[in-house]
Amino acid sequence: GLMFNEFYYELSINEPVLLIPTKAALISIALFSVAVSTRALAARLERSERLAAEQDQAIRRLQKLNEQIVTRMMTGIIVFGRDLEIKLVNQAAQDLLQRKLIPNRRAPDIIIGSYIEWRANSSQHPAPIPAEGSRTELEVKFAALEPNTTVAFISDRALILQQAQALKLASLGQLSATIAHEIRNPLSAISHASELLNETASSDSTTPLLNIIHRHVKRIDRIVTDVLSISQGEKPNRTSIEL
C-alpha cells in the first residue's frame, strides 16, 4: 500500500517515469530490511520469553521446596525485615514461643529484644530467652540474609543441652575404651610376672601376697572387660527365665 501510494504520488506530481521505479525499489529495500530485523528481534524476544518462563517455573518449584523444608524444620524460623515485620514464620517457631505469629505483623517483643542485643554486638549470641509458664528456655541466633532481611533461629535450650551431654558421654565412652585397652597391656605383664613368681617362690610367706596380686589382677581385668563391653555397644544375649 505504501509503495502504491508513493507510485501514485510520483505520477501526480509529473515526476520523470525513470525515477519512479528507483524510489519504489529503495522503499522496498528499506521495508524488507526493517521486516527482517523485526523478525530476528521477535525470534530473540520469543526465546527470551520462553527462557524466562522456564526460569520462573524453576524458581516457583524451588520456592515451594524451601517452604516445605522450613515448615517441617524442628528449629523455629522467623524472617523479618528492617521494619521488624514478619515475612516468613514456620510452625515450630509458634510452638516454641507458644503464640500465634502472622506474616506482615510485628515480630514478638522477646525476639525484638534479642535482635537489638545482637545488633549491638553481632560477634556474640544474645542471652537465652528465660522460661515462662510452660514455655521452656529458648536460645535465639540471628543471621543477616541481606541488608534489609534477618532470619532468627529459635531452639529449645534444654534439647541443645541434652544433645551436648550426649556428645560428651559419647566422647567419654570412646576415651574409656582407649584407657581400658591401655590398662590391659601392663595388667597382662603383672599377671604373667605374678605367675612366674608363684612358680619360683621358695617361701610360703610370699604365696598369700602373690594370691592377693593375682586376685586383684582378675578384678581389674573384669572391670576393663565390662567397660569395653559397654563402650562397644555389644548386642545383649537374650534368654528366657522363670520369674
Side-chain angles (χ1 to χ4, degrees):
L2 182 61
M3 290 173 62
F4 176 76
N5 184 56
E6 181 67 19
F7 189 81
Y8 179 76
Y9 175 74
E10 296 295 342
L11 288 177
S12 64
I13 62 173
N14 297 323
E15 186 74 19
V17 179
L18 294 176
L19 294 177
I20 294 176
T22 304
K23 291 185 176 182
L26 291 174
I27 294 176
S28 300
I29 293 172
L31 291 177
F32 276 113
S33 300
V34 172
V36 171
S37 302
T38 304
R39 180 178 177 85
L41 181 61
R44 186 172 180 179
L45 289 174
E46 185 179 357
R47 288 195 299 270
S48 299
E49 185 179 3
R50 189 163 54 245
L51 179 62
E54 293 174 357
Q55 291 179 346
D56 179 65
Q57 290 180 358
I59 291 173
R60 288 178 184 274
R61 285 195 297 268
L62 184 61
Q63 183 180 6
K64 219 176 256 190
L65 177 62
N66 290 337
E67 289 177 357
Q68 289 288 336
I69 293 173
V70 170
T71 302
R72 295 175 180 271
M73 283 180 65
M74 300 300 295
T75 303
I77 300 291
I78 300 178
V79 180
F80 53 90
R82 188 175 291 275
D83 54 1
L84 301 179
E85 287 189 356
I86 298 174
K87 295 183 178 180
L88 178 66
V89 60
N90 64 352
Q91 186 61 42
Q94 302 185 59
D95 294 340
L96 290 171
L97 294 173
Q98 295 185 356
R99 63 180 64 188
K100 184 70 174 176
L101 303 177
I102 303 174
N104 300 325
R105 297 282 184 88
R106 186 175 172 85
D109 293 337
I110 52 177
I111 299 297
I112 294 175
S114 299
Y115 172 70
I116 294 173
E117 182 181 350
W118 174 74
R119 285 293 301 271
N121 187 7
S122 59
S123 61
Q124 294 184 354
H125 296 304
I129 298 175
E132 182 179 342
S134 60
R135 189 188 69 202
T136 59
E137 189 178 23
L138 302 177
E139 183 168 323
V140 185
K141 297 180 181 180
F142 297 92
L145 295 181
E146 54 187 46
N148 297 323
T149 304
T150 305
V151 57
F153 301 94
I154 307 171
S155 305
D156 188 344
R157 187 168 173 79
L159 184 59
I160 294 175
L161 294 177
Q162 287 178 1
Q163 293 173 349
Q165 184 69 14
L167 289 174
K168 200 178 291 185
L169 291 175
S171 301
L172 184 60
Q174 293 178 355
L175 179 63
S176 301
T178 303
I179 293 175
H181 278 295
E182 294 297 328
I183 289 175
R184 262 192 168 169
N185 294 328
L187 196 64
S188 299
I190 294 172
S191 177
H192 184 64
S194 65
E195 290 176 357
L196 292 177
L197 284 174
N198 193 21
E199 291 175 359
T200 58
S202 58
S203 172
D204 293 338
S205 61
T206 59
T207 302
L209 298 177
L210 292 173
N211 290 334
I212 292 173
I213 294 174
H214 192 61
R215 185 170 65 253
H216 284 283
V217 164
K218 284 186 174 180
R219 180 183 176 188
I220 296 174
D221 185 68
R222 187 170 60 252
I223 294 173
V224 169
T225 302
D226 292 340
V227 170
L228 287 175
S229 65
I230 293 173
S231 63
Q232 292 173 356
E234 295 179 357
K235 294 183 178 180
N237 183 19
R238 301 183 180 219
T239 58
S240 299
I241 61 172
E242 290 292 337
L243 295 178

